[in-house]
PDB file of all heavy atoms in Angstrom:
ATOM      1  N   ARG A  49      22.282  -2.089  10.818  1.00  0.00           N
ATOM      2  CA  ARG A  49      20.828  -2.083  10.950  1.00  0.00           C
ATOM      3  C   ARG A  49      20.532  -2.813  12.257  1.00  0.00           C
ATOM      4  O   ARG A  49      21.298  -3.673  12.681  1.00  0.00           O
ATOM      5  CB  ARG A  49      20.184  -2.840   9.795  1.00  0.00           C
ATOM      6  CG  ARG A  49      20.283  -2.128   8.481  1.00  0.00           C
ATOM      7  CD  ARG A  49      19.646  -2.964   7.373  1.00  0.00           C
ATOM      8  NE  ARG A  49      19.630  -2.213   6.132  1.00  0.00           N
ATOM      9  CZ  ARG A  49      20.623  -2.227   5.244  1.00  0.00           C
ATOM     10  NH1 ARG A  49      21.687  -2.981   5.456  1.00  0.00           N
ATOM     11  NH2 ARG A  49      20.543  -1.494   4.152  1.00  0.00           N
ATOM     12  N   GLU A  52      20.633  -6.558  12.047  1.00  0.00           N
ATOM     13  CA  GLU A  52      21.991  -7.097  11.952  1.00  0.00           C
ATOM     14  C   GLU A  52      22.646  -7.149  13.326  1.00  0.00           C
ATOM     15  O   GLU A  52      23.298  -8.133  13.680  1.00  0.00           O
ATOM     16  CB  GLU A  52      22.835  -6.232  11.016  1.00  0.00           C
ATOM     17  CG  GLU A  52      22.381  -6.238   9.583  1.00  0.00           C
ATOM     18  CD  GLU A  52      23.032  -5.168   8.727  1.00  0.00           C
ATOM     19  OE1 GLU A  52      23.711  -4.267   9.277  1.00  0.00           O
ATOM     20  OE2 GLU A  52      22.868  -5.228   7.499  1.00  0.00           O
ATOM     21  N   ILE A  72      28.551 -10.597   9.209  1.00  0.00           N
ATOM     22  CA  ILE A  72      27.102 -10.400   9.158  1.00  0.00           C
ATOM     23  C   ILE A  72      26.576 -11.461   8.206  1.00  0.00           C
ATOM     24  O   ILE A  72      26.860 -11.427   7.001  1.00  0.00           O
ATOM     25  CB  ILE A  72      26.756  -8.975   8.684  1.00  0.00           C
ATOM     26  CG1 ILE A  72      27.417  -7.963   9.624  1.00  0.00           C
ATOM     27  CG2 ILE A  72      25.245  -8.784   8.632  1.00  0.00           C
ATOM     28  CD1 ILE A  72      27.400  -6.557   9.104  1.00  0.00           C
ATOM     29  N   ARG A  73      25.855 -12.409   8.753  1.00  0.00           N
ATOM     30  CA  ARG A  73      25.419 -13.571   7.977  1.00  0.00           C
ATOM     31  C   ARG A  73      24.412 -13.227   6.879  1.00  0.00           C
ATOM     32  O   ARG A  73      24.451 -13.768   5.805  1.00  0.00           O
ATOM     33  CB  ARG A  73      24.827 -14.627   8.892  1.00  0.00           C
ATOM     34  CG  ARG A  73      25.749 -15.039  10.003  1.00  0.00           C
ATOM     35  CD  ARG A  73      26.435 -16.339   9.708  1.00  0.00           C
ATOM     36  NE  ARG A  73      27.424 -16.605  10.734  1.00  0.00           N
ATOM     37  CZ  ARG A  73      28.657 -16.929  10.458  1.00  0.00           C
ATOM     38  NH1 ARG A  73      29.043 -17.036   9.228  1.00  0.00           N
ATOM     39  NH2 ARG A  73      29.526 -17.154  11.423  1.00  0.00           N
ATOM     40  N   ARG A  74      23.497 -12.337   7.198  1.00  0.00           N
ATOM     41  CA  ARG A  74      22.462 -11.971   6.229  1.00  0.00           C
ATOM     42  C   ARG A  74      22.049 -10.530   6.487  1.00  0.00           C
ATOM     43  O   ARG A  74      21.910 -10.117   7.624  1.00  0.00           O
ATOM     44  CB  ARG A  74      21.257 -12.891   6.377  1.00  0.00           C
ATOM     45  CG  ARG A  74      20.233 -12.734   5.283  1.00  0.00           C
ATOM     46  CD  ARG A  74      19.178 -13.849   5.391  1.00  0.00           C
ATOM     47  NE  ARG A  74      18.402 -13.950   4.182  1.00  0.00           N
ATOM     48  CZ  ARG A  74      18.739 -14.633   3.107  1.00  0.00           C
ATOM     49  NH1 ARG A  74      19.870 -15.273   3.081  1.00  0.00           N
ATOM     50  NH2 ARG A  74      17.957 -14.686   2.053  1.00  0.00           N
ATOM     51  N   THR A  75      21.879  -9.779   5.403  1.00  0.00           N
ATOM     52  CA  THR A  75      21.452  -8.396   5.525  1.00  0.00           C
ATOM     53  C   THR A  75      20.196  -8.168   4.704  1.00  0.00           C
ATOM     54  O   THR A  75      19.829  -8.980   3.857  1.00  0.00           O
ATOM     55  CB  THR A  75      22.546  -7.420   5.039  1.00  0.00           C
ATOM     56  OG1 THR A  75      22.686  -7.544   3.623  1.00  0.00           O
ATOM     57  CG2 THR A  75      23.873  -7.668   5.716  1.00  0.00           C
ATOM     58  N   LYS A  76      19.581  -7.051   4.941  1.00  0.00           N
ATOM     59  CA  LYS A  76      18.360  -6.671   4.238  1.00  0.00           C
ATOM     60  C   LYS A  76      18.589  -6.595   2.728  1.00  0.00           C
ATOM     61  O   LYS A  76      17.726  -6.956   1.942  1.00  0.00           O
ATOM     62  CB  LYS A  76      17.909  -5.311   4.780  1.00  0.00           C
ATOM     63  CG  LYS A  76      16.636  -4.779   4.241  1.00  0.00           C
ATOM     64  CD  LYS A  76      16.322  -3.492   4.990  1.00  0.00           C
ATOM     65  CE  LYS A  76      15.341  -2.637   4.253  1.00  0.00           C
ATOM     66  NZ  LYS A  76      15.094  -1.382   4.963  1.00  0.00           N
ATOM     67  N   THR A  77      19.756  -6.134   2.332  1.00  0.00           N
ATOM     68  CA  THR A  77      20.048  -5.977   0.912  1.00  0.00           C
ATOM     69  C   THR A  77      20.770  -7.182   0.312  1.00  0.00           C
ATOM     70  O   THR A  77      21.064  -7.196  -0.871  1.00  0.00           O
ATOM     71  CB  THR A  77      20.916  -4.718   0.684  1.00  0.00           C
ATOM     72  OG1 THR A  77      22.107  -4.839   1.460  1.00  0.00           O
ATOM     73  CG2 THR A  77      20.157  -3.465   1.089  1.00  0.00           C
ATOM     74  N   ASP A  78      21.034  -8.198   1.113  1.00  0.00           N
ATOM     75  CA  ASP A  78      21.746  -9.398   0.671  1.00  0.00           C
ATOM     76  C   ASP A  78      20.736 -10.511   0.438  1.00  0.00           C
ATOM     77  O   ASP A  78      20.592 -11.411   1.252  1.00  0.00           O
ATOM     78  CB  ASP A  78      22.781  -9.788   1.733  1.00  0.00           C
ATOM     79  CG  ASP A  78      23.555 -11.046   1.384  1.00  0.00           C
ATOM     80  OD1 ASP A  78      23.586 -11.425   0.192  1.00  0.00           O
ATOM     81  OD2 ASP A  78      24.133 -11.642   2.306  1.00  0.00           O
ATOM     82  N   GLN A  79      20.060 -10.451  -0.666  1.00  0.00           N
ATOM     83  CA  GLN A  79      18.995 -11.411  -0.961  1.00  0.00           C
ATOM     84  C   GLN A  79      19.518 -12.833  -1.179  1.00  0.00           C
ATOM     85  O   GLN A  79      18.785 -13.796  -0.994  1.00  0.00           O
ATOM     86  CB  GLN A  79      18.202 -10.955  -2.187  1.00  0.00           C
ATOM     87  CG  GLN A  79      17.519  -9.611  -2.009  1.00  0.00           C
ATOM     88  CD  GLN A  79      16.551  -9.592  -0.842  1.00  0.00           C
ATOM     89  OE1 GLN A  79      15.788 -10.527  -0.637  1.00  0.00           O
ATOM     90  NE2 GLN A  79      16.594  -8.528  -0.045  1.00  0.00           N
ATOM     91  N   ARG A  84      28.637 -10.761   4.730  1.00  0.00           N
ATOM     92  CA  ARG A  84      29.784  -9.871   4.524  1.00  0.00           C
ATOM     93  C   ARG A  84      30.548  -9.745   5.830  1.00  0.00           C
ATOM     94  O   ARG A  84      30.022 -10.038   6.901  1.00  0.00           O
ATOM     95  CB  ARG A  84      29.361  -8.504   4.013  1.00  0.00           C
ATOM     96  CG  ARG A  84      28.532  -7.699   4.980  1.00  0.00           C
ATOM     97  CD  ARG A  84      28.072  -6.391   4.325  1.00  0.00           C
ATOM     98  NE  ARG A  84      27.094  -5.737   5.159  1.00  0.00           N
ATOM     99  CZ  ARG A  84      27.358  -4.727   5.964  1.00  0.00           C
ATOM    100  NH1 ARG A  84      28.563  -4.233   6.034  1.00  0.00           N
ATOM    101  NH2 ARG A  84      26.419  -4.187   6.700  1.00  0.00           N
ATOM    102  N   ASP A 167      25.951   0.013   1.848  1.00  0.00           N
ATOM    103  CA  ASP A 167      26.933  -0.985   2.246  1.00  0.00           C
ATOM    104  C   ASP A 167      28.284  -0.707   1.610  1.00  0.00           C
ATOM    105  O   ASP A 167      29.315  -1.083   2.138  1.00  0.00           O
ATOM    106  CB  ASP A 167      26.445  -2.389   1.872  1.00  0.00           C
ATOM    107  CG  ASP A 167      25.303  -2.838   2.749  1.00  0.00           C
ATOM    108  OD1 ASP A 167      25.148  -2.275   3.846  1.00  0.00           O
ATOM    109  OD2 ASP A 167      24.566  -3.753   2.346  1.00  0.00           O
TER     110      ASP A 167
END
Side-chain angles (χ1 to χ4, degrees):
R49 289 179 174 89
E52 295 168 350
I72 303 168
R73 305 259 173 230
R74 189 171 195 85
T75 69
K76 183 175 161 182
T77 57
D78 179 20
Q79 299 301 317
R84 65 184 170 100
D167 289 340

